Structures are given as C-alpha cells and as structure tokens.
Amino acid sequence: MSKRHLTFICQNCGAAASRWQGKCEACGEWNTLSEEGAERPAGPGRKPGRGRLFELQPLAGEAHEAPRLPTGIAEFDRVTGGGFVRGSVLLMAGDPGIGKSTLLIQTTAALARAGHRAVYISGEEAVGQVRLRAERLGLRDAAVELASETSVEDIIATVSEKQVPKLLIIDSIQTMWTDTVESAPGTVTQVRGAAQALIRFAKKHGSAIILVGHVTKDGQIAGPRVVEHMVDAVLSFEGEGSHQFRILRAVKNRFGPTDEIGVFEMTGAGLREVSNPSELFLSERDLGSPGTAVFAGIEGTRPLLVEIQALVAPSSLGTPRRAVVGWDQSRLSMVLAVLEAHCGVRLGGHDVYLNVAGGMRINEPAADLAAAAALVSSLAHAPLPADAVYFGEVSLSGAIRPVAQSAARLKEAAKLGFARAVVPEAARADGDGGLKVTDVGSLASLVADIAANGSLNQAGKTAGQDG
Ligand code: TYD
Ligand code: MG
C-alpha cells in the first residue's frame, strides 16, 4: 500500500483518504468523499528528483508598490480596500442567483470604459447570453472582451497573446478544468488545479483575477472552500432571496480591511450602489408596533442603522422555539438568559423570533441592547419610541458595557432624523451628536423603563400560567 493510492477526496474540505468512508475524518461532513485521479506533478517532462535552479533575491530591492486598480464602483472599492491589487486573485463566493455575474459584468464594463483591458470568461453561459444581459444593463458600449470557455490552459494562452488584461473574470471556477489534473471538472482536485494555474498566471503577469465560486451545500459540486486559502482575498456576496439588498463583504483580504461592507440594490437594470444604506434599511419601518428597535451599528468605518424585530409569543411546544435571522443564535441565547436571570423576565414558556430587517447580518455585540429592547417590547406589548436608537453590549452580569465609536453612531442617528438614543453610560463622553441621550447602566433598568409603558406584568403572568 503506497501513499500514491490516496484517491478519495472530500468534496467539502479537500482532504484525501486511501479508501472510501461515509464520513470525512478531516471536516466531519457525511457523503462527501469521491474517487478522483491523483494529481500529476506540474511541469510535465521534467526529470524526477532534480529541480530547476532559480535566482534568490535580496529583501531590499526594487519593490512593486501594489498599485491599485479602482473600479469606480465605490461600494466595491471600499470592500477591496481601494481597488484590485495587481497580480492578486480574489474569490467571489455566493449562492447561485445572488447576482455575482451581474456585478462582475458591471465591474468589467466600468474598467473597460476607463480604458483598461478587461476580459470576462464565462464557463456557464454562452457569449450570446452574457451579451443579452450586458445589453439590458446598458453596457453595450464598453469594450469588454468576452468568451465562453472552460479550459484554463486555453484561457491563459489566449489572454497572454496580447498585452495581458488588467482584470480577468473567471465565472465560475467550478466549471474550469486543467490538463495537469485527471479528475472530472467540478471536483475538488480540478478546482484546485485550475485555481493554481490561474494564480500562477496572475502573479507572473500582474493581472488581477476574480474567480467566481458558487457555494453549494451538497457535496455534488466542489465548494470553493478549498480555494479560500490559496487566494489573496475572499469576498462574499450575500442577500436574502426575497430582498433586493445585496451585501458584499470581505471575509479575507491580504491587501485591505475585512470589516467593510458594500451595499447594493438589485434593480431591473442591474446592481445599483447604495451609498447611504441606513436610509434604505429603515425605509420600510413598521412604526408604532411593539417588538422593533433601531440599532445604531458600525460596519467597518461606516455607521449603519438597522431595525431589529422581535416576536415573543406564548408557546404550545414543550421546548419553545428560538429562531433568529441575521444575528448570532448564541448571542440571542445569552441575552435571553440575562433577561431571565437578572431582569425577572420569564421567557421559558414563550417562542422567541428575532430578525434583522432588510436581509442584513449583524456581527457586533453592540446589538445586544437593541435586541433586548425589541424582545422586551414585544413581550410587554409596549412599542418603543419611534425616534430612538439603541446600542450597547450586555454582559453576563446584566450590566451594559460601552462599545467603540459611539460618536459616529450618534451622528448617523441624528443625520437620519432620530431624536433619542439609549446607550451605555460611558457613551456620552464622546458628545451626544445633538440627540437626547439616555444612558442605562443595567439591562434591568431598561426592562423597567419599557415595562412601565406596557403590560409586562400581565405578560409575565401569562408566562407563569403556561409554565
Ligand atoms: P446573476 O448575476 O446571474 O447571479 P449569479 O451569477 O450569482 O448566479 O443574477 C441572477 C439574478 O439577478 C436573477 O434572478 C435575475 C436578477 N437580475 C435582476 O433582477 N436585474 C438585472 O438587471 C439582472 C441582470 C439580473
Ligand atoms: Mg452567474
């Protein structure tokens, strides 16, 4: 049994195994192992055991300062950190149908219009289909070079015939295949081999390349996960199917920040940049109903106001439901536990639903206070003031802890017409931004304030009866 017979590859994580197993030992996924041919060493015709000599370079020397290639699409450039870096490879991952191809054809057109050579290779659509879309998007005049191809060697040979393109789009990496690998297209080994060849091309010639990767849950098509560690940046394009908002987020970025987001709106004429997302996220607010609180958040350098909606309703189930969309499930559990333990709010007999409006996803602990306010408001049937924003982190002791960038949050709230803010005690030190600021030291005092306006006692009693 020699090691060269490792031919079962996990389609989720890329781990190799010598025999078929139901469960991948590396990532724990089930039914993801599939048989693949072994990778042939790169550089065919080379004598084994003898490497080529190359020149070692001193650290001090001529450096290519990473020149940026801005797209002119501000929301995109913000996420990459000011444009594409020469020779860098970027993976754009997202669910099928989210708008990756649309965004990238718009990006290529923007660069082509600025006079850069931009090439768009689609492995999924025929040239005619891409053209049809470009026509609908009003991009016909842009000098984008198109092709429908899937062989990486052919693509590299073709684009390097002339001056290499500044930007090369590969839509998608799962459809590409390379001669150096024997496996079928779409398998992990092929995806990895194709990505390797393209990355080598980018580094050598200084083109920026964007690889599109579909995220698929089932093991049929190789997920782009194996490519993630090979590329310079991973952007994820997200959105809820039913919403028109799309959020571009850097998951990894060797040349820029990872906390910035770009916000787009999918319209009949393609993706439109949203330069003031707070306005958009708050545009469909349900004023005056209990269970909603506006959270003044920060995404990267930009303040972002979103509505947090909660529904707390008596449960008929033995184990009540806890469902959350757009926020962290364990964060919700923590806030619920603190409400029970320190604020006398009994939720054991209630189903709890929490939703961040507009398809936005929040990662900040600063949202704790807004989530708690929405939950208590729903339970007590007490609408929160429509002109108030909330932010603050809840600690396990029930205290409200200060969060970063209070001044920016308050300023954005004031700009959008809010008059009040409910914040941690230290937040006011940075100035109140013109708002009436109420500081809360503990979650219990917030609960008491909200309950005073509603019927929490009654709701509490109902909970007691149910339990
Ligand atoms: P697409 O870019 O093909 O998605 P992906 O490449 O991520 O699979 O986008 C497909 C969806 O976008 C499709 O459901 C239709 C919608 N769409 C619009 O709403 N407006 C438009 O102008 C375009 C081109 C697409
Ligand atoms: Mg597509």
Side-chain angles (χ1 to χ4, degrees):
M1 275 238 287
S2 89
K3 281 207 167 174
R4 286 168 59 214
H5 291 283
L6 296 177
T7 48
F8 291 89
I9 310 278
C10 170
Q11 303 297 303
N12 182 54
C13 69
S18 55
R19 61 191 166 83
W20 192 86
Q21 287 160 319
K23 184 180 177 184
C24 170
E25 276 172 4
C27 69
E29 285 289 314
W30 286 89
N31 291 327
T32 53
L33 289 194
S34 101
E35 188 171 6
E36 288 187 23
E39 264 173 273
R40 248 191 264 151
R46 190 191 278 192
K47 272 193 228 111
R50 177 92 197 173
R52 175 181 61 87
L53 296 180
F54 56 87
E55 198 186 333
L56 290 165
Q57 309 268 354
L59 180 61
E62 195 196 336
H64 290 290
E65 193 203 328
R68 297 270 182 175
L69 184 64
T71 59
I73 300 173
E75 293 296 304
F76 203 145
D77 291 341
R78 180 204 309 280
V79 177
T80 52
F84 306 123
V85 172
R86 277 193 53 183
S88 73
V89 178
L90 207 146
L91 175 71
M92 181 175 291
D95 293 332
I98 204 78
K100 299 179 296 296
S101 304
T102 308
L103 178 62
L104 292 176
I105 195 77
Q106 288 181 267
T107 308
T108 1
L111 282 177
R113 279 182 179 149
H116 302 292
R117 183 173 182 217
V119 176
Y120 186 102
I121 307 284
S122 178
E124 301 189 338
E125 291 166 288
V127 168
Q129 279 175 292
V130 180
R131 272 198 196 128
L132 206 66
R133 177 184 296 144
E135 202 164 310
R136 270 189 47 203
L137 301 175
L139 306 172
R140 277 202 73 170
D141 61 304
V144 173
E145 292 169 65
L146 281 183
S148 178
E149 283 297 332
T150 53
S151 157
V152 168
E153 279 75 27
D154 294 356
I155 292 168
I156 290 177
T158 307
V159 297
S160 36
E161 220 189 11
K162 287 191 269 174
Q163 182 204 15
V164 294
K166 287 273 176 57
L167 179 69
L168 172 63
I169 309 280
I170 302 290
D171 187 0
S172 64
I173 188 65
Q174 278 113 339
T175 55
M176 296 294 140
W177 62 279
T178 163
D179 295 341
T180 57
V181 175
E182 271 165 11
S183 309
T187 55
V188 164
T189 315
Q190 272 293 356
V191 166
R192 192 164 40 196
Q196 253 159 10
L198 289 161
I199 290 167
R200 221 176 298 128
F201 170 78
K203 302 285 172 227
K204 189 167 167 204
H205 296 280
S207 297
I209 298 186
I210 302 182
L211 308 175
V212 173
H214 293 299
V215 180
T216 48
K217 280 269 154 64
D218 64 82
Q220 280 296 85
I221 307 170
R225 309 235 89 178
V226 287
V227 185
E228 278 181 14
H229 72 276
M230 300 162 62
V231 296
D232 298 303
V234 180
L235 305 186
S236 122
F237 203 37
E238 307 166 356
E240 293 285 317
S242 52
H243 290 286
Q244 70 273 38
F245 312 122
R246 299 284 181 270
I247 291 159
L248 187 65
R249 202 185 275 279
V251 182
K252 153 182 172 177
N253 195 348
R254 275 186 194 148
F255 305 113
T258 52
D259 50 1
E260 293 285 1
I261 63 166
V263 183
F264 297 88
E265 185 184 4
M266 183 58 101
T267 69
L271 287 154
R272 191 179 67 80
E273 287 182 69
V274 177
S275 47
N276 192 340
S278 300
E279 254 166 43
L280 197 70
F281 283 122
L282 294 179
S283 63
E284 287 162 17
R285 275 184 76 198
D286 209 357
L287 294 173
S289 50
T292 67
V294 175
F295 165 52
I298 297 277
E299 289 287 338
T301 54
R302 184 163 57 168
L304 182 66
L305 268 52
V306 286
E307 186 183 68
I308 297 187
Q309 305 166 340
L311 177 64
V312 180
S315 178
S316 55
L317 302 167
T319 310
R321 257 174 199 284
R322 303 282 182 253
V324 51
V325 178
W327 203 42
D328 189 5
Q329 181 89 46
S330 51
R331 223 53 228 173
L332 173 66
S333 305
M334 193 206 81
V335 169
L336 293 177
V338 173
L339 282 171
E340 294 236 10
H342 297 292
C343 312
V345 179
R346 301 185 57 185
L347 295 155
H350 288 74
D351 289 334
V352 173
Y353 302 90
L354 194 90
N355 177 41
V356 178
M360 181 66 196
R361 205 185 67 212
I362 301 174
N363 299 319
E364 269 192 294
D368 293 353
L369 191 63
L375 290 166
V376 176
S377 160
S378 174
L379 179 69
H381 304 289
L384 299 170
D387 60 353
V389 297
Y390 296 78
F391 63 85
E393 183 178 343
V394 172
S395 77
L396 285 177
S397 66
I400 307 298
R401 284 217 295 252
V403 297
Q405 306 195 52
S406 298
R409 296 171 200 265
L410 293 172
K411 210 171 119 199
E412 175 80 355
K415 202 171 93 189
L416 288 164
F418 286 87
R420 292 187 248 186
V422 179
V423 304
E425 269 168 352
R428 208 204 292 257
D430 300 344
D432 59 14
L435 274 78
K436 182 174 173 292
V437 174
T438 310
D439 43 33
V440 285
S442 72
L443 193 55
S445 66
L446 176 78
V447 171
D449 280 353
I450 298 172
N453 299 325
S455 50
L456 184 64
N457 295 335
Q458 210 184 325
K461 235 180 273 157
T462 320
Q465 279 157 9
D466 284 350

